[in-house]
Amino acid sequence: MQRPRSLVSPLLSGVFCQCEAPGSEAGPRAGPGVVPTAAVNSSVQPLVAALATDPCGGSLCGGPEHERRLYTLFQELDVNRDGGICVNDLAIGLRRLGVHRTEWELRKIVKAGDKDLDGQLDFEEFVHYLRDHEKKLRLVFKSLDKKNDGRIDSQEIMQSLRDLGVNISEQQAEKILKSMDKNGTMTIDWNEWRDYHLLHPAENIPEIILYWKHSTIFDVGENLTVPDEFTVEERQTGMWWRHLVAGGGAGAVSRTCTAPLDRLKVLMQVHASRNNKMYIVGGFTQMIREGGFKSLWRGNGINVLKIAPESAMKFMAYEQIKRLMGSDQETLRIHERLVAGSLAGAIAQSSIYPMEVLKTRMALRKTGQYSGMLDCGKKILFKEGVTAFYKGYVPNMLGIIPYAGIDLAVYETLKNAWLQRYAINSADPGVFVLLACGTISSTCGQLASYPLALVRTRMQAQASIEGSPQTTMMGLFKQILNTEGAFGLYRGLAPNFMKVIPAVSISYVVYENLKITLGVQSR
């Protein structure tokens, strides 16, 4: 919670169009015009003109008058008059205007807008930062304005915080209101909300994060997903474990429903070749003929059983890695998520990898070969030794980076594209957009890491196939390329992709219902 501060300087209040609310038809109020239009550098005039073309409906508006307000503010903050605003300039300039920010907040502002990485904001970067900043503030205001009346009251603040898993009293909500309320109405209109947060870093606004969180509910039966992130409030109130339980239950149901496709994928990865082609219908027919309808679920038990330990290990490792990275942010930036998520995934996979080997062997077993998971584990241990439980470990670890990297990058790209084009009144994308983004990003991640996953599966299965040579990872790659061509690295890709959409859809439906059962507030 931010501390109350003095009223915003008229210069700051006049920077943005003074509409009554986002999307209002009211015209802009004139702000102070100190510098004539001609004084603005001609190179940035097209930028400012572009920002002024959509009064009240776009990011920044106000026409020529607004152009002067922007430049006036820039000059006021450019304390040493060198044409750029550095952290020191920002600290002194804002202090003069009655706004106090911590050094960390100031550095965050400069870092967010500094596109050319020279340590300061020139006029163009400054305008771009304000434009993006106001758009985020506009989306959050709309999200908090539950009654859609252009004002936020104490009840709406309480409800919004409850949605985030935090319960506060009405007195606490009124205290928050008073810190922003300039006219004593005990409600916050758009102007008060925006002026209070002007030149305050707004990268991690809770509503946008929680709407768009790339959640582990998108369970497609793979084990390379980046861990979920939880807010401080979710961790303190214990909501995080309920989300994990709901996610684990959703994963168990979706994996069970798509287990026949998963087993077919494993069989095609190991047994299909240029000379021994296996198609989807033929594969299912072969499995049913060999072991009956029940055999379609071989290996699913261990696949479900490993969800809980893997999720727990991944979550704990992720939280520790975030602390070691020394990040002050509640939610990591995308490249930090990639590093922390990949390391957490590697740690979790290392701890449960023997279960991965068991899952592959159980999926490939013939009728009567093993009586169960324990029998399978004992026979592998006595016949092949402990090292057999780590066959394919290296390609599995290497596959985490391309999967997580592309998965996150595609998701962030789709998210930003949607926000830029469609996020006018709310940051909430809706169920179908989230499912589509999660499905596409997961599919792209799998496509990138699939050759490594195939080699891993063949290495795990080597000892169970009579006469199969025990080759290394590079040896297997060369062998597949020489005998089957590049296409051989993608055996089993069709059933793998066929299970993505039903797996994601089932996960989401089960997850939402389990959240209700567990009493988890909707995000």
Side-chain angles (χ1 to χ4, degrees):
M1 185 187 305
Q2 297 177 5
R3 63 178 182 277
R5 60 171 171 80
S6 59
L7 293 182
V8 181
S9 160
L11 178 62
L12 291 180
S13 297
V15 169
F16 296 101
C17 169
Q18 297 296 299
C19 306
E20 289 304 315
S24 169
E25 294 298 325
R29 302 171 193 166
V34 179
V35 180
T37 305
V40 182
N41 189 313
S42 60
S43 65
V44 297
Q45 282 189 359
L47 170 68
V48 179
L51 294 175
T53 58
D54 187 15
C56 306
S59 295
L60 302 176
C61 49
E65 192 67 34
H66 173 247
E67 180 180 305
R68 288 192 290 272
R69 291 197 297 268
L70 275 175
Y71 193 72
T72 299
L73 177 60
F74 181 80
Q75 283 197 318
E76 190 71 27
L77 296 177
D78 182 15
V79 176
N80 59 9
R81 296 292 186 270
D82 64 350
I85 300 173
C86 62
V87 173
N88 188 55
D89 286 341
L90 204 55
I92 297 171
L94 286 177
R95 201 177 301 122
R96 288 175 180 172
L97 297 173
V99 179
H100 299 277
R101 297 282 179 250
T102 66
E103 184 179 353
W104 174 74
E105 289 171 338
L106 296 171
R107 290 185 182 279
K108 205 171 172 188
I109 291 172
V110 173
K111 185 176 181 181
D114 185 17
K115 302 301 181 185
D116 57 10
L117 304 179
D118 62 351
Q120 61 181 5
L121 304 179
D122 59 30
F123 184 67
E124 183 176 351
E125 291 171 331
F126 180 67
V127 172
H128 273 295
Y129 174 79
L130 289 181
R131 179 195 63 192
D132 294 339
H133 178 77
E134 194 211 3
K135 181 163 188 176
K136 291 176 182 177
L137 293 179
R138 189 183 294 273
L139 292 173
V140 178
F141 186 87
K142 277 288 188 179
S143 299
L144 296 175
D145 183 15
K146 306 291 185 185
K147 299 174 186 174
N148 200 29
D149 59 357
R151 295 180 178 275
I152 301 171
D153 58 28
S154 59
Q155 293 298 320
E156 287 170 319
I157 289 177
M158 292 171 66
Q159 180 59 49
S160 297
L161 288 175
R162 271 199 297 270
D163 290 345
L164 298 176
V166 183
N167 292 308
I168 62 170
S169 65
E170 189 167 359
Q171 289 74 22
Q172 290 172 308
E174 289 176 353
K175 188 176 181 181
I176 295 173
L177 273 176
K178 286 178 182 177
S179 67
M180 290 179 264
D181 180 25
K182 293 187 291 187
N183 55 16
T185 60
M186 288 308 292
T187 60
I188 307 165
D189 62 22
W190 164 238
N191 293 326
E192 290 171 323
W193 168 264
R194 182 196 53 219
D195 291 349
Y196 181 81
H197 293 91
L198 183 68
L199 288 172
H200 187 282
E203 292 178 1
N204 294 324
I205 296 171
E207 284 294 311
I208 295 177
I209 290 171
L210 292 176
Y211 277 136
W212 279 102
K213 206 155 67 167
H214 195 174
S215 176
T216 52
I217 64 166
F218 298 129
D219 189 302
V220 292
E222 303 301 318
N223 308 282
L224 307 176
T225 51
V226 175
D228 208 346
E229 287 188 282
F230 298 99
T231 63
V232 173
E233 291 81 8
E234 283 175 317
R235 292 195 291 269
Q236 289 175 346
T237 58
M239 282 292 169
W240 64 271
W241 70 262
R242 299 188 188 188
H243 281 289
L244 285 181
V245 170
V253 174
S254 72
R255 291 186 187 195
T256 301
C257 291
T258 59
L261 284 167
D262 192 61
R263 188 183 178 216
L264 178 61
K265 177 196 74 174
V266 173
L267 288 172
M268 290 176 73
Q269 285 178 330
V270 175
H271 295 302
S273 66
R274 182 175 289 172
N275 299 322
N276 180 27
K277 293 182 179 179
M278 182 183 290
Y279 298 103
I280 293 173
V281 175
F284 278 125
T285 303
Q286 183 178 320
M287 285 190 287
I288 295 171
R289 187 184 297 125
E290 191 276 331
F293 188 74
K294 190 178 177 181
S295 68
L296 296 177
W297 277 266
R298 283 180 186 170
N300 182 60
I302 193 76
N303 198 29
V304 169
L305 196 62
K306 65 187 177 69
I307 292 175
E310 185 182 19
S311 298
M313 284 295 300
K314 199 180 289 184
F315 171 70
M316 290 187 290
Y318 190 63
E319 291 300 309
Q320 291 302 316
I321 292 166
K322 281 175 67 175
R323 292 191 183 95
L324 291 174
M325 290 175 70
S327 175
D328 294 321
Q329 298 189 79
E330 186 173 298
T331 300
L332 302 181
R333 292 186 291 273
I334 183 169
H335 65 276
E336 293 173 327
R337 281 205 78 190
L338 174 59
V339 173
S342 297
L343 288 174
I347 292 169
Q349 282 280 285
S350 298
S351 65
I352 59 96
Y353 193 75
M355 299 177 79
E356 282 286 331
V357 176
L358 278 175
K359 177 235 176 184
T360 300
R361 294 292 184 90
M362 292 292 287
L364 292 170
R365 81 183 191 272
K366 296 178 181 178
T367 303
Q369 187 175 357
Y370 306 119
S371 60
M373 286 182 284
L374 290 177
D375 183 50
C376 178
K378 286 179 183 177
K379 288 182 177 178
I380 293 173
L381 182 63
F382 293 142
K383 289 183 179 180
E384 304 167 46
V386 177
T387 56
F389 289 105
Y390 284 89
K391 289 285 180 69
Y393 177 80
V394 173
N396 187 73
M397 292 299 108
L398 293 176
I400 290 175
I401 297 173
Y403 183 101
I406 292 176
D407 187 24
L408 272 178
V410 172
Y411 189 83
E412 289 295 314
T413 301
L414 294 172
K415 175 191 80 172
N416 292 330
W418 189 91
L419 284 171
Q420 289 298 321
R421 178 170 288 219
Y422 300 110
I424 298 173
N425 295 324
S426 174
D428 185 358
V431 173
F432 292 110
V433 174
L434 282 178
L435 289 179
C437 291
T439 302
I440 294 169
S441 62
S442 176
T443 300
C444 292
Q446 288 184 66
L447 189 62
S449 63
Y450 195 83
L452 285 163
L454 181 137
V455 169
R456 173 202 67 191
T457 304
R458 288 203 181 180
M459 291 181 72
Q460 290 172 341
Q462 278 177 348
S464 67
I465 303 172
E466 294 182 10
S468 176
Q470 303 298 299
T471 55
T472 62
M473 180 182 75
M474 292 308 298
L476 258 177
F477 266 115
K478 290 177 182 177
Q479 179 186 324
I480 293 170
L481 289 172
N482 290 335
T483 59
E484 304 175 49
F487 181 78
L489 293 172
Y490 289 90
R491 299 283 181 194
L493 188 64
N496 188 63
F497 279 177
M498 284 174 64
K499 71 174 184 171
V500 171
I501 293 177
V504 169
S505 304
I506 293 167
S507 290
Y508 183 84
V509 172
V510 176
Y511 179 76
E512 289 299 314
N513 281 279
L514 283 176
K515 281 203 308 181
I516 295 171
T517 303
L518 293 169
V520 178
Q521 291 287 344
S522 176
R523 292 176 178 178

